[in-house]
Amino acid sequence: MKDTAPTLSSVIPAGRKFTGTDRRAPLRGGLHGCGEYGAGQTAGRFYPIACVALEVTQRCNLDCTLCYLSDRAEMTYDPPLSVLFARLATIHSHYGPGVSVQLTGGDPTLRKVEDLEALCREIRSLNMRSCLMTNGIRASRAFLTRLAAAGLDDVAFHVDMTQERNGFNSEAELNVVRRAYIRHTRGLGLRVLFNTTVFGGNFDELPALAQFMRDCPEVSFVSFQMQADTGRGMLRERPDAITQDSVMAAVEAGYETPLHFDTAAVGHAKCNRYASVVTAGGRAVSLLSAKRLTHKVIAALSKVDQSADGHIDTRDSVWRMVRRNPLLALRAGLHLLGCVMRLGQGLLQGPVRRQSVFIHNFMAADALEEDRCASCVFMVATANGPLSMCVHNAQRDMHLAAPDRVDGPTGPSWWNAAVPRLSGGPDLPDLNDPSLAPLKRLKGQMRAMRRNQKDAS
Ligand code: SF4
């Protein structure tokens, strides 16, 4: 196996069990360490991690031009449920109740629906949240109805032009797909999220796409993920025109209002930018315009927060803050009311909704920054515990090949992505060599290379 995976000596999987006393301390320490734990920081203050990805397969039914999976991904086996359950226990050990677990891949809908139902039930039984991360192609209403009944909380649809869907030539044309996916969720009680990769091929359309999202009251969370040179995709380096500032400006142009991305922080500022708005009838108003007031509320909430170990119990903490700081609570309440009133005509044309707007700045595999990886808020579950998503993407094959131990009634068993089922010993084969794989098992740049070789021969 290629041993060129970049390593960051200080950023390694966090282990299969949390051994500390304060689950928020590792992230808080990482952010403190790089000067990112300011008055607006929510990570490490109210929660130990933003979310953890549980990769249930490496297979996908698309071949996006930007893809964080590796060349070997399609030649691996799906982890057995017992391995995934063991990883859920590790996630719970590190982050406790309330953490958001992303069922992802590849595309998780390529797993049997019964497997996903079992995972949703297990996540619910551990008081964690589940989010299905999918391109939506197989996420029919019937499929989502079954998962919702099994305890699924959120569904995040990834729809954009990197997917090269037949018959769609622009992000605007893809809105018909987005609307159809929203219809699939109607009445199921699921929180709906949309992820968009921002790359050279759709950057000009970003304001219009942001406006489309603003005007979808069903959508609670809108995430824009900036192109990164990692994985197997055909597209590599990010164009210079795409920066955090240019993406923030384009999104604000779409929402037609300032979004105050510098008020509240979710991890390192070079990693993530966050905004929160109320919307109604084609209007949006930022809830984070009063920076000093927001920081006072953050400070007051962290003082009364009784759940210092895992995720904050927001309802309980807000109620305690109201009782302890009635004047501050009144000011905050009046600010929120003012925001709603500023929706003006929009109030007559549509329901009032709150929407989170997120810009995620993934790092290139060969340009990992230690301080960012050490204060990462997005983890991936590996055989040896949670690891920063950027680091995992850069070292993916190394972690897919690592033997994962599952303790059963008759003793331990082991698994890695090179084998279809559990084995009696940790001595497992390496991942297959993609250069030996048939064309149909290749994706991204390797597929293109193989095709060119075939055409040239
Ligand atoms: S995944 Fe990467 S960009 Fe995102 S928070 Fe972690 S280190 Fe930062």
Side-chain angles (χ1 to χ4, degrees):
M1 177 166 61
K2 244 184 339 166
D3 52 0
T4 55
T7 57
L8 280 182
S9 54
S10 69
V11 183
I12 57 172
R16 295 162 60 86
K17 221 172 178 34
F18 181 68
T19 53
T21 53
D22 174 357
R23 288 181 173 119
R24 298 178 195 171
L27 181 53
R28 197 168 49 243
L31 289 164
H32 259 306
C34 55
E36 289 284 331
Y37 199 73
Q41 184 60 253
T42 61
R45 181 174 263 130
F46 296 134
Y47 47 87
I49 209 71
C51 67
V52 185
L54 182 71
E55 297 189 345
V56 300
T57 182
Q58 300 291 309
R59 296 174 292 127
C60 191
N61 47 0
L62 283 176
D63 185 10
C64 300
T65 52
L66 280 161
C67 176
Y68 56 68
L69 296 182
S70 69
D71 297 324
R72 287 180 171 80
E74 301 281 333
M75 305 161 59
T76 62
Y77 291 95
D78 293 350
L81 275 181
S82 55
V83 168
L84 295 171
F85 278 25
R87 291 187 183 184
L88 286 175
T90 297
I91 294 171
H92 188 264
S93 165
H94 279 277
Y95 306 118
V99 64
S100 175
V101 179
Q102 300 181 333
L103 297 173
T104 187
D107 200 279
T109 61
L110 297 188
R111 291 275 315 216
K112 288 187 302 188
V113 66
E114 292 81 5
D115 288 354
L116 297 174
E117 287 174 318
L119 290 165
C120 288
R121 279 192 284 271
E122 179 70 5
I123 292 168
R124 176 62 61 91
S125 75
L126 293 167
N127 287 321
M128 303 192 291
R129 286 186 70 83
S130 55
C131 179
L132 184 76
M133 313 287 288
T134 176
N135 58 38
I137 294 169
R138 288 166 52 96
S140 64
R141 182 163 177 80
F143 196 98
L144 292 174
T145 302
R146 284 185 66 167
L147 297 187
L152 182 68
D153 297 289
D154 308 336
V155 58
F157 296 111
H158 171 209
V159 177
D160 63 44
M161 288 301 290
T162 64
Q163 299 169 330
E164 298 188 319
R165 295 179 190 229
N166 288 335
F168 297 93
N169 302 306
S170 70
E171 294 294 349
E173 289 179 17
L174 282 170
N175 287 343
V176 67
V177 174
R178 296 180 180 102
R179 288 196 187 91
Y181 289 172
I182 291 171
R183 280 196 301 277
H184 290 168
T185 68
R186 216 156 263 154
L188 297 180
L190 296 172
R191 202 168 65 113
V192 177
L193 302 78
F194 270 90
N195 293 338
T196 303
T197 304
V198 179
F199 71 116
N202 67 2
F203 186 55
D204 295 343
E205 289 194 79
L206 204 47
L209 180 55
Q211 194 160 103
F212 171 84
M213 291 297 174
R214 178 198 68 186
D215 300 342
C216 292
E218 306 89 342
V219 177
S220 305
F221 195 101
V222 182
S223 174
F224 299 101
Q225 309 187 349
M226 297 161 63
Q227 172 172 355
D229 182 359
T230 191
R232 66 180 182 193
M234 289 291 295
L235 296 177
R236 309 309 305 176
E237 294 80 24
R238 181 188 299 167
D240 295 342
I242 301 179
T243 65
Q244 278 184 308
D245 289 343
S246 66
V247 172
M248 285 192 279
V251 172
E252 286 181 327
Y255 277 75
E256 295 178 306
T257 185
L259 293 176
H260 308 99
F261 282 106
D262 61 346
T263 296
V266 177
H268 199 296
K270 283 178 71 179
C271 290
N272 309 307
R273 294 306 176 98
Y274 169 76
S276 178
V277 297
V278 279
T279 65
R283 297 271 187 96
V285 172
S286 166
L287 293 172
L288 301 178
S289 54
K291 192 171 184 174
R292 282 183 53 201
L293 174 62
T294 305
H295 290 176
K296 282 195 172 142
V297 170
I298 288 175
L301 279 174
S302 51
K303 275 211 192 86
V304 299
D305 172 17
Q306 301 294 302
S307 51
D309 184 21
H311 273 59
I312 184 172
D313 178 338
T314 310
R315 197 170 295 189
D316 175 67
S317 297
V318 167
W319 185 230
R320 286 172 186 277
M321 187 199 88
V322 169
R323 292 209 305 269
R324 195 176 293 181
N325 303 287
L327 272 182
L328 179 63
L330 180 62
R331 283 181 55 206
L334 290 172
H335 168 72
L336 296 178
L337 183 61
C339 291
V340 171
M341 298 317 292
R342 287 211 306 280
L343 289 166
Q345 287 292 320
L347 293 170
L348 306 174
Q349 281 141 29
V352 177
R353 289 286 184 276
R354 194 179 79 76
Q355 200 173 65
S356 296
V357 183
F358 208 81
I359 297 172
H360 197 182
N361 179 18
F362 280 113
M363 286 179 272
D366 59 2
L368 298 176
E369 297 168 40
E370 198 141 0
D371 64 338
R372 291 175 60 185
C373 297
S375 57
C376 179
V377 293
F378 289 105
M379 293 290 180
V380 178
T382 75
N384 299 302
L387 176 65
S388 155
M389 203 175 276
C390 278
V391 178
H392 183 266
N393 288 340
Q395 303 169 342
R396 177 173 291 275
D397 290 344
M398 185 168 87
H399 297 290
L400 288 174
D404 197 340
R405 174 185 167 136
V406 177
D407 296 318
T410 57
S413 309
W414 281 269
W415 176 86
N416 78 356
V419 295
R421 61 190 66 79
L422 291 172
S423 147
D427 186 18
L428 298 165
D430 217 333
L431 302 186
N432 295 321
D433 181 351
S435 63
L436 304 174
L439 180 63
K440 69 176 188 306
R441 300 291 296 279
L442 294 178
K443 296 251 175 109
Q445 51 192 352
M446 276 208 90
R447 184 181 181 85
M449 247 176 0
R450 178 74 64 80
R451 265 220 187 106
N452 296 343
Q453 286 161 353
K454 211 169 163 204
D455 297 347
S457 62

